[in-house]
Amino acid sequence: MFAMVFVIRSFFLLCFPIFCFVILSLLIPAGFLQAQEVPSIVDLKKMTLEQLMEIEVARVYGASKFEQKITEAPSSVSIVTANEIKKYGWRSLAEILRSVRGVFVTNDRNYSYLGVRGFGRPGDYNSRILLLIDGHRVNDNIYDSLLLGNEFILDVDLIDRIEFTRGPGSSLYGSNAFFASIHVITRPGKSINGLEASTEAGSLKTYKGRLTYGNKFLTEMEMLLSGSFYSSGGNERLYFREYDSPSSNHGLAERVDREGFCNIFSTVSFKDFKFQGGWNKREKTIPTGYYGTDFNHPGNQTLDGRAYLDLKYQRGFKNGTDVTARIFYDYYQYKGDYLYSGVVNKDSSLGQWWGIESRINKTFFEKHKVILGLEYTNNLRQDQKNYNQEPYRMLLEDKRSSWNGALYIQDEYSIIKNLILNAGIRYDYFKTFGGAVNPRLALIFNPLEKTFFKLLYGTAFRTPNVFELYYHDLGNTSKPNPDLKKETITTYELIWEQYLGKYLRGHSSLYYYRINDLISQTIDPEDGLMVYQNIDKTEAKGLELGLEIRGLKGVEAKASYAWQEAINQVSGEELTNSPKHLARVGLSIPLLQKKIFFSPELRYMGRRKTLGGNATGGFLTMNATLLLQNLIPGLEISGGVYNLGDQSYGDPGGAEHRQDIIQQDGRTFRLKVTYRF
């Protein structure tokens, strides 16, 4: 067994550079002098009406790892643009994703958690969704988590667009691409074309500033450099009835909702090379008294730090070949201070990893678009630590390292002019868990000019992370389970996409998925400790409907509705934190063409079952943003009001909370000024 593992690891370590450089040496010379040239001017007058209509069809990248029309992507994909982010005044990645059909977000007043297609279990650190920034994997190597709120590494003002790709993506991306993958594409430096400064102020004593420089130079070099800071006093007073007693300040948490962050992000590209790096540090005081900590104490707080460096080479050639290679380094740090009867407990984790990736896209016989890829990741550090500060007592000191590699292939085959077969398969090998094979099949049919049907099948997996496997605190609140197995999902989906005239696009999707060996956070009845176990099987079915209007006299609108039913097959009950109904309507109206926009937004979420067997009520919230741009050259001013009706609502708490339902913010506002020099 040791010999086999040694051979496989040696293959990934030694063959990867051979794979990169042999292919480069053999393929590139043949087409080096034939590199694709992009025309600088497109003569629209010579195009037919049909060709002009094709321009209206959005293009996506993340569904297949190459650019294609959204109607030909082997997935259900939603796109959110920088223009929408600006018009609707969304302040974080979590707020942006709330606008995507079939997606819901919960918040425990520390972190934001993403739910997709009826699945958003308490105790899940967003580990079943993959997040990438310009193709760079962002999930950490301790919790596999996504940091979606103000802890997200990228300022939302630097986002050019977001592609939300539903369905299993392990055939291309491996572990964590379980329910969906999120592809964030950043703004190029030339879109800034100088210096851009932004300042914000809002309710809850909230302030933010950003300074960004971007440009493209005659030397074919392009760069972007940006830095941001944020500070919020949070709610001055929060009431939790579960703590309503004289010994815990009658349930009032006062001035313990503070938050702050700072981040730096930069991209430098030269010809076919692109170097990118990001750094973020965020601190948050916790008002909920979770894990049984001393209630209403400012010493309960968390710190999250995230950084990465990424160097990518990409070049396309006229012979239909596209070559991509990248090398990266990542860093993640978490620190938590928790007080128990005045004793400070220090909880921390540290992750460091590096990796390499190579990919070749090649078109054969004008009908086959084939992708062959190879990946290797070395987790240098996956450390967890927990101790009481005074009197000193070590509760956990777990230091680990691991590695994994993968090989995948995908073929998009045009059977006939209006029928495409997309098939792919990927093999992953993990030092700790062995191998996993995941296929994907998609049949895409275009019977009429503006009508598209997609029939999809795919599987995905997620390996348990080191937190689920090994975390414990000597029996205070939790215990480890090193015998956890990977969980798997099988998904079937039927999609109908319809273009109605020039401005309308309709979307409908029917899906069914089944999860086996689901990793769930449970309470062991024998000792009352939290532990993760492979005890659940889940199946779900749902319907998603969407309608988009773009470009009709400057008016833009999106409406969506999702019905979803997720059931625990072991107990026969509906899943916790799983709303059956989700709806959203967003409308952006130009009050003064291209200069003043009014953008109201309505969101509805149905009732959700809680861990305590209760249910949150369904609720409807409204946001509204007014945007003024180019009244003065280079100046943008926006004002937004969130939860305009001051709706009272809450999200289900996790096993670590005494609260069954955690109350969310009422009405808040923000004023933002941006100036481009």
Side-chain angles (χ1 to χ4, degrees):
M1 181 65 182
F2 175 82
M4 182 183 72
V5 172
F6 178 80
V7 169
I8 293 174
R9 183 176 184 180
S10 300
F11 170 81
F12 282 110
L13 284 171
L14 299 178
C15 291
F16 179 84
I18 296 173
F19 182 81
C20 288
F21 293 109
V22 169
I23 293 299
L24 288 174
S25 63
L26 292 178
L27 293 182
I28 292 181
F32 189 82
L33 298 177
Q34 306 173 26
Q36 293 181 358
E37 295 182 3
V38 179
S40 57
I41 299 176
V42 177
D43 191 356
L44 296 176
K45 294 182 180 180
K46 296 181 181 180
M47 289 187 174
T48 65
L49 177 61
E50 289 75 16
Q51 290 173 320
L52 289 171
M53 287 297 295
E54 287 182 0
I55 296 176
E56 301 295 331
V57 179
R59 305 184 74 86
V60 295
Y61 176 85
S64 296
K65 287 193 174 181
F66 63 80
E67 190 176 279
Q68 62 188 159
K69 295 178 182 178
I70 193 171
T71 52
E72 297 177 355
S75 304
S76 171
V77 184
S78 291
I79 300 174
V80 183
T81 66
N83 199 37
E84 291 175 280
I85 295 171
K86 182 167 57 176
K87 288 180 178 178
Y88 288 103
W90 296 320
R91 299 166 291 183
S92 67
L93 181 59
E95 289 191 358
I96 296 170
L97 294 175
R98 279 194 178 103
S99 70
V100 177
R101 67 177 177 271
V103 175
F104 59 100
V105 178
T106 59
N107 187 282
D108 66 357
R109 309 209 68 88
N110 190 13
Y111 297 107
S112 294
Y113 306 94
L114 199 62
V116 180
R117 292 185 163 176
F119 195 99
R121 302 292 296 276
D124 173 20
Y125 291 91
N126 297 319
S127 58
R128 296 177 178 90
I129 298 168
L130 182 68
L131 175 62
L132 303 105
I133 297 177
D134 292 335
H136 180 93
R137 180 188 176 99
V138 179
N139 300 61
D140 67 73
N141 72 342
I142 303 293
Y143 312 96
D144 285 334
S145 64
L146 307 184
L147 301 176
L148 301 174
N150 289 320
E151 62 275 16
F152 181 47
I153 193 170
L154 184 70
D155 192 303
V156 295
D157 287 344
L158 303 182
I159 296 174
D160 182 65
R161 75 179 189 275
I162 294 173
E163 299 174 7
F164 188 89
T165 305
R166 299 168 184 80
S170 287
S171 64
L172 277 180
Y173 295 102
S175 185
N176 303 116
F178 201 78
F179 285 112
S181 55
I182 304 167
H183 303 263
V184 177
I185 293 88
T186 61
R187 294 171 64 185
K190 62 183 179 182
S191 70
I192 306 296
N193 194 30
L195 189 65
E196 185 175 277
S198 177
T199 184
E200 304 175 23
S203 51
L204 309 180
K205 297 181 180 178
T206 300
Y207 305 95
K208 181 185 174 186
R210 174 180 60 87
L211 189 63
T212 303
Y213 174 78
N215 220 330
K216 185 173 184 178
F217 306 95
L218 296 177
T219 58
E220 296 187 56
M221 185 178 81
E222 188 171 358
M223 71 171 295
L224 182 145
L225 176 63
S226 183
S228 306
F229 73 90
Y230 172 93
S231 174
S232 177
N235 285 271
E236 286 286 318
R237 177 177 292 186
L238 292 166
Y239 172 70
F240 301 103
R241 62 180 179 82
E242 293 83 358
Y243 289 93
D244 195 344
S245 68
S247 61
S248 52
N249 198 34
H250 299 283
L252 295 175
E254 299 181 297
R255 294 181 294 278
V256 288
D257 193 33
R258 296 187 297 272
E259 183 177 19
F261 75 78
C262 53
N263 60 41
I264 299 172
F265 184 82
S266 180
T267 300
V268 179
S269 59
F270 181 71
K271 295 186 176 179
D272 302 318
F273 291 90
K274 183 176 182 179
F275 179 75
Q276 187 174 93
W279 172 85
N280 182 74
K281 179 182 177 182
R282 176 256 195 180
E283 296 182 43
K284 178 69 172 67
T285 305
I286 308 165
T288 54
Y290 78 157
Y291 287 110
T293 54
D294 295 347
F295 182 74
N296 192 38
H297 198 294
N300 294 314
Q301 56 186 356
T302 56
L303 179 148
D304 291 275
R306 186 72 171 86
Y308 75 88
L309 299 172
D310 186 289
L311 177 62
K312 183 177 76 171
Y313 171 84
Q314 183 173 12
R315 189 174 181 86
F317 304 93
K318 273 190 175 181
N319 64 359
T321 303
D322 186 272
V323 178
T324 302
R326 74 188 327 139
I327 184 169
F328 57 86
Y329 168 81
D330 282 74
Y331 170 91
Y332 171 72
Q333 182 184 40
Y334 152 80
K335 291 183 178 180
D337 288 350
Y338 306 109
L339 276 79
Y340 296 91
S341 301
V343 176
V344 179
N345 176 262
K346 296 279 189 178
D347 192 44
S348 64
S349 60
L350 177 63
Q352 292 180 327
W353 64 103
W354 69 275
I356 44 183
E357 175 188 357
S358 181
R359 182 173 73 251
I360 295 175
N361 298 20
K362 174 71 175 178
T363 301
F364 294 97
F365 312 114
E366 299 183 353
K367 288 191 174 183
H368 292 270
K369 292 182 181 179
V370 179
I371 303 174
L372 179 64
L374 184 65
E375 297 177 5
Y376 172 79
T377 300
N378 190 319
N379 294 298
L380 302 171
R381 300 185 67 172
Q382 294 173 294
D383 301 346
Q384 299 182 88
K385 188 175 182 180
N386 186 285
Y387 66 93
N388 290 337
Q389 187 173 43
E390 187 177 345
Y392 179 79
R393 185 190 180 199
M394 179 63 69
L395 303 176
L396 169 68
E397 189 168 20
D398 187 79
K399 296 184 178 181
R400 299 183 183 271
S401 61
S402 63
W403 65 271
N404 61 274
L407 178 67
Y408 61 89
I409 186 170
Q410 177 182 279
D411 182 15
E412 182 187 271
Y413 172 45
S414 297
I415 302 173
I416 55 178
K417 184 178 180 180
N418 61 347
L419 184 63
I420 296 174
L421 174 65
N422 190 297
I425 191 168
R426 172 170 167 139
Y427 173 74
D428 287 84
Y429 185 86
F430 290 79
K431 174 186 175 182
T432 48
F433 298 99
V437 178
N438 288 274
R440 178 174 71 174
L441 293 171
L443 196 61
I444 302 165
F445 182 44
N446 178 207
L448 301 172
E449 180 185 359
K450 299 176 183 179
T451 302
F452 303 85
F453 292 100
K454 301 178 184 181
L455 183 61
L456 313 177
Y457 163 83
T459 69
F461 75 104
R462 182 180 77 90
T463 59
N465 53 59
V466 295
F467 174 75
E468 293 166 333
L469 287 163
Y470 307 116
Y471 186 84
H472 68 88
D473 52 6
L474 288 186
N476 286 338
T477 61
S478 61
K479 62 181 181 180
N481 183 4
D483 297 323
L484 283 174
K485 301 179 296 183
K486 66 178 180 290
E487 56 187 17
T488 60
I489 186 172
T490 302
T491 301
Y492 305 87
E493 186 170 0
L494 175 63
I495 298 170
W496 173 25
E497 296 181 0
Q498 181 71 50
Y499 284 78
L500 306 167
K502 186 176 180 180
Y503 305 109
L504 298 177
R505 174 182 177 239
H507 177 100
S508 64
S509 176
L510 279 169
Y511 64 85
Y512 167 84
Y513 66 76
R514 183 178 64 253
I515 304 174
N516 290 318
D517 296 318
L518 179 65
I519 300 171
S520 297
Q521 184 189 65
T522 63
I523 302 295
D524 191 330
E526 294 185 1
D527 51 27
L529 298 178
M530 290 185 293
V531 62
Y532 288 91
Q533 296 180 330
N534 294 101
I535 62 170
D536 288 339
K537 293 183 179 180
T538 297
E539 68 173 13
K541 54 184 178 291
L543 167 68
E544 295 173 349
L545 303 172
L547 182 66
E548 298 180 20
I549 302 173
R550 290 184 180 275
L552 181 61
K553 295 184 178 181
V555 174
E556 294 184 356
K558 279 186 180 181
S560 65
Y561 168 76
W563 174 85
Q564 48 206 12
E565 183 178 68
I567 302 295
N568 184 323
Q569 289 182 289
V570 176
S571 65
E573 299 179 349
E574 65 179 276
L575 297 186
T576 55
N577 192 32
S578 178
K580 279 193 175 183
H581 304 281
L582 292 170
R584 185 253 178 187
V585 177
L587 177 65
S588 182
I589 307 168
L591 302 181
L592 182 62
Q593 189 70 19
K594 296 184 179 181
K595 294 184 182 296
I596 302 177
F597 296 87
F598 176 62
S599 305
E601 179 185 23
L602 285 169
R603 293 174 181 164
Y604 173 78
M605 184 185 294
R607 62 173 292 279
R608 290 168 287 168
K609 182 181 176 181
T610 68
L611 286 177
N614 301 307
T616 67
F619 62 90
L620 177 69
T621 59
M622 178 178 180
N623 304 331
T625 299
L626 185 66
L627 171 67
L628 291 77
Q629 60 180 15
N630 297 322
L631 292 174
I632 299 176
L635 180 66
E636 289 181 1
I637 301 175
S638 67
V641 182
Y642 308 87
N643 193 0
L644 183 62
D646 202 22
Q647 173 72 50
S648 178
Y649 69 99
D651 289 333
E656 65 273 23
H657 298 102
R658 185 184 295 184
Q659 299 93 335
D660 197 33
I661 299 174
I662 300 175
Q663 197 69 16
Q664 299 301 300
D665 288 340
R667 185 188 302 113
T668 59
F669 69 88
R670 180 186 71 166
L671 178 65
K672 178 179 179 181
V673 179
T674 301
Y675 186 74
R676 185 176 299 171
F677 296 88

